[in-house]
């Protein structure tokens, strides 16, 4: 077991060395500027926005919270994947590399996620009202 730990540690050190060499090849100043920009973007925009959305989710009805959270997480993941190509599409040198319209497809996917969230929330509400066997729950005596 100890030999395995040393092997994993050696692999980690080798990968850190590779990372340092790649950063050095890019230019440490460029990487430092990028990291500073990432911190400012995260702490100045993303974190406050997520906190505000979290306050809105807490204010929602309990039956809606789960589907709302799932839709928000899915939409956030889709945005993180599509945002680089939406913000900086760049010149198309090879039309087969990125042949589709990212902005349109991202909006379509967000709409699909929103509709799915609404359908799940409505289904949960109907399920609670109708009961698990499709009939209204019996009233307590």
């Amino acid at each position: 077991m100890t030999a395995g730990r040393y092997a994993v540690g050696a692999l980690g050190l080798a990968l850190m060395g590779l990372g340092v060499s790649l950063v050095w090849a890019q230019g440490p100043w460029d990487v430092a500027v990028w990291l500073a920009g990432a911190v400012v973007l995260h702490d100045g925009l993303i974190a406050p926005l997520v906190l505000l959305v979290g306050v809105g989710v807490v204010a929602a009805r309990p039956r809606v919270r789960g589907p709302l959270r799932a839709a928000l997480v899915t939409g956030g993941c889709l945005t993180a994947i599509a945002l680089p190509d939406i913000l900086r599409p760049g010149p198309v040198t090879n039309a087969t590399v990125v042949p589709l319209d990212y902005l349109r497809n991202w909006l379509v996917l967000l709409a699909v996620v929103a509709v799915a969230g609404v359908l799940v929330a409505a289904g949960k509400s109907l399920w609670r009202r109708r009961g698990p066997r499709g009939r209204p729950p019996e009233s307590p005596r």
Side-chain angles (χ1 to χ4, degrees), residues 70-92:
L72 288 171
V73 167
T74 304
C77 292
L78 289 172
T79 301
I81 292 169
L83 201 59
D85 283 320
I86 290 171
L87 292 179
R88 188 180 51 149
V92 178

Side-chain angles (χ1 to χ4, degrees), residues 37-109:
V39 168
V40 168
L41 179 68
H42 178 271
D43 292 350
L45 180 68
I46 295 172
L49 183 64
V50 168
L51 288 172
L52 286 174
V53 169
V55 168
V57 168
V58 169
R61 289 187 293 176
R63 291 185 195 147
V64 179
R65 285 184 197 155
L68 181 59
R69 285 181 191 143
L72 288 171
V73 167
T74 304
C77 292
L78 289 172
T79 301
I81 292 169
L83 201 59
D85 283 320
I86 290 171
L87 292 179
R88 188 180 51 149
V92 178
T93 56
N94 184 354
T96 62
V97 174
V98 184
L100 302 174
D101 183 10
Y102 262 67
L103 179 60
R104 183 199 61 204
N105 292 342
W106 172 68
L107 292 172
V108 167
L109 281 174

